[in-house]
Amino acid sequence: MSDEQYMQRAMTLAQAAADAGEVPVGAVVVDPATGEIVGEGRNGPIGAHDPTAHAEIVAIRAAAAKLGNYRLPGLDLYVTLEPCAMCAGAISFARIRRLVFAATDEKGGAVLHGPKFFDQPTCHWRPEVRTCSEFAADSALMLKHFFRARRA
């Protein structure tokens, strides 16, 4: 499968989050050697009563449980929105090989914006980072519609 196909799965998970009343963000962890999705998640802090239940954390936890290891070297993470500082920390601690995300997040993102977590000297593991710009507009629009509906 291609980056675009994995990101499409993450977008499907983001829509499922929105349908459940959660902020629409989805994520998948992939083993690029086999093409297998080894973990996936969608935002769920409200339903799980867990402020750490961001899509990236849920996907990383699922992959770690499936593989029986808290480190995920050699694996790739696809997420529909630029990770926040908490999720960037988890990505670093898990030793994710490559991070691919769709929409940037000027307000809450911590990879290209804000603290730029992976550029900090205290960050001991830095994944390769790629934006999947072909999904950026769709992801941003999904988020915009979600928050507009909440304000109405």
Side-chain angles (χ1 to χ4, degrees):
M1 287 178 57
S2 66
D3 284 353
E4 291 73 24
Q5 290 169 305
Y6 295 123
M7 189 61 73
Q8 185 58 56
R9 176 63 187 149
M11 291 291 290
T12 299
L13 292 164
Q15 184 59 57
D19 293 344
E22 303 276 0
V23 175
V25 179
V28 295
V29 177
V30 174
D31 181 344
T34 65
E36 180 185 4
I37 293 176
V38 295
E40 60 182 34
R42 61 177 177 84
N43 263 13
I46 298 166
H49 309 291
D50 178 358
T52 69
H54 288 197
E56 301 95 320
I57 303 286
V58 174
I60 288 170
R61 286 176 179 162
K66 179 174 185 165
L67 299 174
N69 194 342
Y70 74 109
R71 300 282 172 127
L72 303 173
L75 301 186
D76 298 345
L77 174 67
Y78 295 82
V79 62
T80 59
L81 182 64
E82 178 181 353
C84 69
M86 175 183 69
C87 292
I91 291 163
S92 178
F93 292 143
R95 305 297 194 258
I96 293 289
R97 178 186 80 102
R98 189 166 73 115
L99 166 66
V100 181
F101 63 89
T104 60
D105 185 356
E106 293 179 17
K107 186 175 179 181
V111 177
L112 301 179
H113 297 91
K116 298 182 181 176
F117 188 90
F118 302 128
D119 294 340
Q120 299 306 312
T122 54
C123 178
H124 300 296
W125 178 263
R126 293 162 181 83
E128 174 188 330
V129 175
R130 177 181 177 263
T131 57
C132 196
S133 58
E134 51 269 44
F135 286 90
D138 288 341
S139 179
L141 189 61
M142 190 183 306
L143 287 155
K144 187 178 203 175
H145 288 321
F146 177 83
F147 287 113
R148 183 178 293 148
R150 296 296 174 277
R151 288 187 218 109

